[in-house]
Amino acid sequence: MSQRTVSEWSGVSAGTLKNLARIGLLPDANQLRPHDVVLARVASALGATRSTNRDTQQGERTTTAFRRDWDAIRVVMELLLAADASGSDVEVHPRTRLVAFPDTVALVQQDYELLQLSEQALNNQAPYHVLPIGAWHAELQQRLAGTFEGEADIAA
């Protein structure tokens, strides 16, 4: 998949995609895959490029956030790859969400799970992000299906 397509579909600029590749969160431009659209959205929403220009003297918060960003990308990528594997019974539910705290991440599908994590965050006075991974994946699948249908119509 081209960098331009990933950029357009994810809403993440080409420059940010290059920075994400430079810090190892995404592959290089010529190696991008369809699921990288979702991964780019995750990395961008978490502000994963905030430390790209701080190769030295990173503070503890930056190091912790960078580790959290790696975990977020890893968890989401494992889910997407497992769902795409042939013969797999893993499914990305449309209500799957990634909950990202300053130092950890979790995938949830049920509202009660999200409520529990929200209560924990409130009790700990911790900020958190909730990212709609399932919705982003569903949107990607629709776009991919539309792309392939369009190619089939042109071939016919």
Side-chain angles (χ1 to χ4, degrees):
M1 178 169 263
S2 75
Q3 183 180 41
R4 180 176 172 215
T5 302
V6 171
S7 179
E8 286 176 10
W9 288 12
S10 68
V12 176
S13 74
T16 298
L17 292 175
K18 288 177 187 175
N19 280 338
L20 291 169
R22 187 166 62 81
I23 61 176
L25 290 176
L26 287 180
D28 290 327
N30 60 349
Q31 298 173 341
L32 291 169
R33 303 145 302 192
H35 68 262
D36 290 326
V37 170
V38 175
L39 298 178
R41 291 178 87 168
V42 169
S44 178
L46 295 177
T49 60
R50 74 183 125 349
S51 62
T52 57
N53 294 321
R54 289 191 196 170
D55 291 333
T56 60
Q57 299 178 344
Q58 289 187 356
E60 183 180 334
R61 281 184 21 198
T62 300
T63 302
T64 301
F66 190 64
R67 221 175 294 126
R68 187 258 338 245
D69 297 345
W70 267 97
D71 286 345
I73 295 296
R74 180 188 52 77
V75 165
V76 173
M77 184 171 28
E78 287 173 357
L79 173 65
L80 298 178
L81 290 176
D84 287 346
S86 61
S88 172
D89 61 347
V90 174
E91 185 178 325
V92 181
H93 190 277
R95 295 191 54 82
T96 300
R97 289 152 291 186
L98 178 78
V99 181
F101 294 97
D103 57 351
T104 61
V105 297
L107 284 174
V108 298
Q109 288 184 357
Q110 303 297 325
D111 290 340
Y112 71 87
E113 295 171 308
L114 183 58
L115 181 59
Q116 286 174 338
L117 292 174
S118 178
E119 287 296 324
Q120 286 177 354
L122 182 63
N123 291 337
N124 295 325
Q125 298 181 10
Y128 65 98
H129 300 276
V130 178
L131 306 179
I133 303 304
W136 289 346
H137 181 261
E139 179 183 314
L140 172 64
Q141 296 306 312
Q142 288 175 341
R143 285 190 131 164
L144 289 170
T147 299
F148 292 130
E149 288 172 9
E151 290 175 1
D153 291 344
I154 291 171

